[in-house]
Amino acid sequence: MTDRTLQADFIVAGATLIDGSGGPAVQGDLAVLGERIVAVGSFDHPAGVPVIDGRGQVLAPGFIDSHTHDDGYLLAHPDMLPKVSQGITTVVTGNCGISLAPLERADIPQPLDLLGPAELFRFSTFRAWMDALRETPAAVNVIPLVGHTTLRVAVMDDTSRAANASERAAMRALLQEAMDAGAFGVSTGTFYPPASAAPTDEIIDVCQPLKPSGDAGHGGIDGRGIGNGSHGTDSRGVDRRGIDRRSNDRRSIGRRAIFATHLRDEADHIVPAMEEALLIGRELDCRVVFSHHKLAGERNHGRTRETLDMITRAAAHQPVCLDCHPYPATSTMLRLDRARLASRTMITWSKGYPEATGREFSDVMQELGLDDEAAVARLAPAGAIYFLMDPADVNRIFAHPLTMVGSDGLPFDPHPHPRQWGTFPNVLRTMVREQQLLSLEAAIHKMTGLAADQYGIAQRGLLREGYHADLVLFDPATVTDVATFSAPVQASQGIHAVWVNGKPVWDGERTSTQRPGQVLTPGDALPRSS
């Protein structure tokens, strides 16, 4: 390409290009015009075009955070500092069954309050929330999911039971509206009280709009969540025992809706919980995403060998993937069962006893002179960090070829888990540079191309001509997370520049005033190749 044919707004020159595909790094240049990449590799630089010196740095696609709770944070803090400062250019919202919409009410039960203050829950339809994001865009792109728990809270007067027929129909209608508005799919959080009473058949019934067009009939599952009918092949080519006979035919797969799940149990009973999720995926003909995959509690350490084998075997017959963050601790609402299972618990916030924020639960119990059950009641509602996982399990999960990177941060927590600010640089520091568990190319693939492929996003996640210019420039030798469990609100280091749709949003020290993020819809997606 000569300088007579190339038009560009800026060029990054001499960088190590890691394109997100998992392929080897190459030295080269990249040019951007408007929202798009217009040249990659070796080309003449037109006179007058600004050139950014990329020597000694890696230029990669912007990172895709596959698991967030940023639904309300996007509106309240559109600069998205915790995310752009670690190279993130796209976030998947509405995970763990909880989405900001469709819900308009002041009394928000846990765990929906993890999404932020009650005044954010002001959208009676999913489209209204998406319209608000488009009217006041954030610095990052958004891949929206609808929360099944949110649907239950919006429709049911008592979530401690299964939904009746009219409530299921009302939830199904809300979900259909959301899918028509551009949602990518549904998430569930049957681990949490507002959804734990929902049986398998309720989820399948409510989530019928996830089925491909022309296949959204109801039924097919009895009250025990077991498929009815013979062991023949149904109208979608799915064997009633759960084997997708079409799975090896690339031409037939296409783009599918997402079913992301915070399982009913991530501890002793994780296997039946995973089996339930896989069954739902088959019945709805959608892609199953195992959210923040983990084995909780010391007696379950090492069982990732079993669960990852399940995922590998399932992937041969149906679309499935998973996400994970690199820390041995998780974070959610304060629960007695989790506090008893964890080797250590930290309080992230407490309305019942604000003085507990940022402190060890054991110290707070001693200070109050209460046992764990009474202390949980005294602090409630509250949030906590639980040290539950074996680092060897975390590493094993990350090594799996279908694992994406998801922060799962809770952005409104006064003392958040450090994953909100440091997940992606932590992977680059610990798993690439220190442990050499992953190559730099493999890690970036998990953060970019793999996530774009699994979520069906067209023209993002790779460094290709014509693709959207979501980019991150960083120093592979120094990039590091600074956020810690004791001091979690700290921006990472070594991320020198971030662009979203061709516009700068982070310069290594501060955010810009630009808000170029887009609300992505399945219309932005192309049929998948695998």
Side-chain angles (χ1 to χ4, degrees), residues 49-107:
V49 174
V51 176
I52 298 167
D53 186 0
R55 289 175 297 178
Q57 300 182 74
V58 165
L59 184 66
F63 302 149
I64 299 172
D65 192 339
S66 299
H67 187 109
T68 85
H69 297 287
D70 290 333
D71 307 42
Y73 201 78
L74 290 156
L75 295 170
H77 301 277
D79 65 348
M80 294 299 289
L81 172 60
K83 297 304 175 76
V84 298
S85 61
Q86 51 180 312
I88 294 166
T89 58
T90 301
V91 297
V92 180
T93 60
N95 285 285
C96 296
I98 56 174
S99 57
L100 198 66
L103 185 61
E104 188 176 14
R105 57 185 283 180
D107 55 326

Side-chain angles (χ1 to χ4, degrees), residues 370-412:
L370 300 173
D371 63 16
D372 56 0
E373 183 174 7
V376 167
R378 175 71 173 83
L379 270 59
I385 294 170
Y386 307 95
F387 290 80
L388 291 164
M389 292 98 82
D390 180 2
D393 278 329
V394 176
N395 285 355
R396 194 174 294 116
I397 292 167
F398 261 91
H400 194 278
L402 291 175
T403 300
M404 306 174 292
V405 182
S407 69
D408 193 21
L410 301 173
F412 286 97

Side-chain angles (χ1 to χ4, degrees), residues 149-213:
T149 298
T150 299
L151 297 177
R152 292 190 114 233
V153 171
V155 165
M156 300 178 66
D157 58 357
D158 177 10
T159 58
S160 66
R161 56 171 173 79
N164 60 36
S166 62
E167 290 165 339
R168 293 182 186 200
M171 285 189 273
R172 194 162 53 241
L174 286 174
L175 176 55
Q176 185 65 63
E177 183 277 333
M179 298 299 290
D180 291 343
F184 277 73
V186 167
S187 74
T188 57
T190 46
F191 170 75
Y192 293 107
S196 60
T200 308
D201 66 291
E202 175 191 313
I203 296 170
I204 294 172
D205 195 9
V206 168
C207 293
Q208 291 295 307
L210 268 61
K211 285 186 174 182
S213 298

Side-chain angles (χ1 to χ4, degrees), residues 71-336:
D71 307 42
Y73 201 78
L74 290 156
L75 295 170
H77 301 277
D79 65 348
M80 294 299 289
L81 172 60
K83 297 304 175 76
V84 298
S85 61
Q86 51 180 312
I88 294 166
T89 58
T90 301
V91 297
V92 180
T93 60
N95 285 285
C96 296
I98 56 174
S99 57
L100 198 66
L103 185 61
E104 188 176 14
R105 57 185 283 180
D107 55 326
I108 303 300
Q110 288 199 290
L112 271 71
D113 58 352
L114 298 177
L115 296 181
E119 54 265 27
L120 288 171
F121 291 85
R122 59 181 187 269
F123 304 102
S124 60
T125 67
F126 204 75
R127 186 182 297 276
W129 171 70
M130 294 177 69
D131 288 345
L133 279 177
R134 292 189 176 103
E135 291 166 6
T136 57
V140 299
N141 304 309
V142 181
I143 297 173
L145 301 177
V146 185
H148 167 250
T149 298
T150 299
L151 297 177
R152 292 190 114 233
V153 171
V155 165
M156 300 178 66
D157 58 357
D158 177 10
T159 58
S160 66
R161 56 171 173 79
N164 60 36
S166 62
E167 290 165 339
R168 293 182 186 200
M171 285 189 273
R172 194 162 53 241
L174 286 174
L175 176 55
Q176 185 65 63
E177 183 277 333
M179 298 299 290
D180 291 343
F184 277 73
V186 167
S187 74
T188 57
T190 46
F191 170 75
Y192 293 107
S196 60
T200 308
D201 66 291
E202 175 191 313
I203 296 170
I204 294 172
D205 195 9
V206 168
C207 293
Q208 291 295 307
L210 268 61
K211 285 186 174 182
S213 298
D215 187 27
H218 308 315
I221 288 288
D222 66 21
R224 298 167 297 160
I226 306 299
N228 294 320
S230 70
H231 291 309
T233 302
D234 70 9
S235 61
R236 291 170 287 123
V238 180
D239 183 293
R240 300 307 295 182
R241 293 165 295 181
I243 299 175
D244 188 341
R245 298 300 183 186
R246 308 159 305 157
S247 60
N248 293 322
D249 182 357
R250 290 184 172 220
R251 295 168 298 177
S252 70
I253 291 179
R255 174 171 48 79
R256 303 191 191 209
I258 299 296
F259 176 75
T261 179
H262 181 152
L263 295 168
R264 289 187 190 274
D265 192 286
E266 294 176 317
D268 298 358
H269 305 294
I270 191 170
V271 168
M274 291 177 65
E275 289 173 340
E276 178 191 39
L278 292 169
L279 170 64
I280 292 169
R282 293 192 298 271
E283 289 295 326
L284 297 173
D285 198 9
C286 60
R287 183 171 306 279
V288 176
V289 181
F290 288 106
S291 297
H292 44 58
H293 189 55
K294 71 175 74 68
L295 271 298
E298 185 175 357
R299 61 177 173 263
N300 292 300
H301 290 175
R303 290 186 64 197
T304 50
R305 297 179 181 89
E306 178 183 8
T307 59
L308 293 173
D309 182 61
M310 282 184 66
I311 291 171
T312 299
R313 286 185 281 110
H317 306 296
Q318 67 184 103
V320 60
C321 58
L322 62 157
D323 63 64
C324 188
H325 63 66
Y327 302 89
T330 187
S331 182
T332 185
M333 58 189 284
L334 179 60
R335 291 174 51 134
L336 183 61

Side-chain angles (χ1 to χ4, degrees), residues 427-490:
V427 171
L428 298 174
R429 174 179 64 84
T430 63
M431 296 190 171
V432 175
R433 203 163 62 235
E434 296 175 358
Q435 301 177 25
Q436 299 182 355
L437 175 73
L438 300 170
S439 68
L440 187 55
E441 293 88 344
I444 289 175
H445 173 60
K446 290 176 176 295
M447 299 173 175
T448 59
L450 176 64
D453 187 41
Q454 293 297 327
Y455 279 89
I457 305 302
Q459 300 182 337
R460 296 186 194 269
L462 298 174
L463 300 183
R464 297 281 191 274
E465 291 184 17
Y467 274 50
H468 291 269
D470 297 339
L471 306 168
V472 55
L473 184 69
F474 66 93
D475 185 342
T478 63
V479 64
T480 188
D481 54 315
V482 179
T484 64
F485 286 100
S486 59
V489 182
Q490 299 190 76

